[in-house]
Amino acid sequence: PLTLIEPPTETNTALLGFDVASNPVMLEALELARDAGQMSVSGRIQTDQNGSGAATTVAMYVPIFTKNTDLGTVDGRREGVAGWVSGSFRVSDLMASLQGQIDPNVGVKIYQSSTSANSDLLYDHHPGAWHDAVNSAQQTTKVIALGSKQWSLRMYSLPAFEQKFASDQPWHIAVAGLS
């Protein structure tokens, strides 16, 4: 169960005592962190912590082991785990903190897998815009390792982005240079 939470706001302290292992997605991440002995990121968790509606959240867990734990074996880590340090992040809040870092005419999608399947979508900066960008000349997908998970970050230009950089100026310069 949660025994300490920061900041100690009313909303946060209401979670004290919550058994994170009761949530299968969180339990999987806890066990993975413990067994691997390293940070693990959960899959998608739907939360409504502040009463403003469901938000897509992920949690990161780092295992803490007792002194003299045999960290060289899974059994040793299972026997020696004392707890976890965790942090949870609303994906939309995390991305909002990057406001101004990403051009508003660039679409961003984040998936909780390397396959970019719609069922794995964690974040969509421009919901519904993907159909406009399927034939976009400017698109890329990067796979990012987060602990033992792989996420996909897909970025693509929206029509306004392409219009901003579309120009026939090189033709004007070439024609002017020939005269």
Side-chain angles (χ1 to χ4, degrees):
L2 287 174
T3 58
L4 177 66
I5 194 163
E6 291 291 334
T9 62
E10 184 178 335
T11 304
N12 280 349
T13 56
L15 294 173
L16 288 173
F18 172 69
D19 183 5
V20 291
S22 68
N23 179 306
V25 175
M26 294 175 169
L27 177 61
E28 178 185 9
L30 288 167
E31 290 176 341
L32 188 58
R34 177 202 60 207
D35 290 353
Q38 65 181 15
M39 186 262 307
S40 177
V41 179
S42 75
R44 178 187 315 115
I45 305 164
Q46 292 302 120
T47 61
D48 186 10
Q49 188 174 342
N50 60 10
S52 63
T56 298
T57 303
V58 294
M60 297 171 61
Y61 298 102
V62 177
I64 305 298
F65 298 100
T66 59
K67 189 175 180 178
N68 300 323
T69 294
D70 177 8
L71 298 175
T73 67
V74 173
D75 286 340
R77 290 188 292 271
R78 286 179 178 175
E79 290 175 20
V81 70
W84 290 263
V85 174
S86 67
S88 62
F89 306 91
R90 287 183 207 93
V91 179
S92 59
D93 290 351
L94 182 63
M95 293 305 294
S97 72
L98 298 175
Q99 187 175 20
Q101 304 292 318
I102 300 173
D103 188 301
N105 295 312
V106 171
V108 177
K109 290 181 182 269
I110 301 174
Y111 299 87
Q112 63 177 2
S113 71
S114 60
T115 62
S116 301
N118 283 336
S119 61
D120 291 331
L121 184 66
L122 291 173
Y123 176 79
D124 187 351
H125 184 57
H126 289 280
W130 180 247
H131 66 278
D132 295 333
V134 170
N135 296 317
S136 170
Q138 306 295 322
Q139 56 182 300
T140 188
T141 300
K142 298 291 180 191
V143 177
I144 302 165
L146 291 170
S148 60
K149 299 260 185 186
Q150 290 190 330
W151 283 9
S152 295
L153 171 65
R154 177 171 281 172
M155 299 178 74
Y156 52 92
S157 57
L158 296 170
F161 182 88
E162 292 183 10
Q163 289 172 359
K164 185 175 10 176
F165 294 102
S167 171
D168 58 358
Q169 185 177 10
W171 291 106
H172 292 244
I173 293 170
V175 170
L178 293 175
S179 32

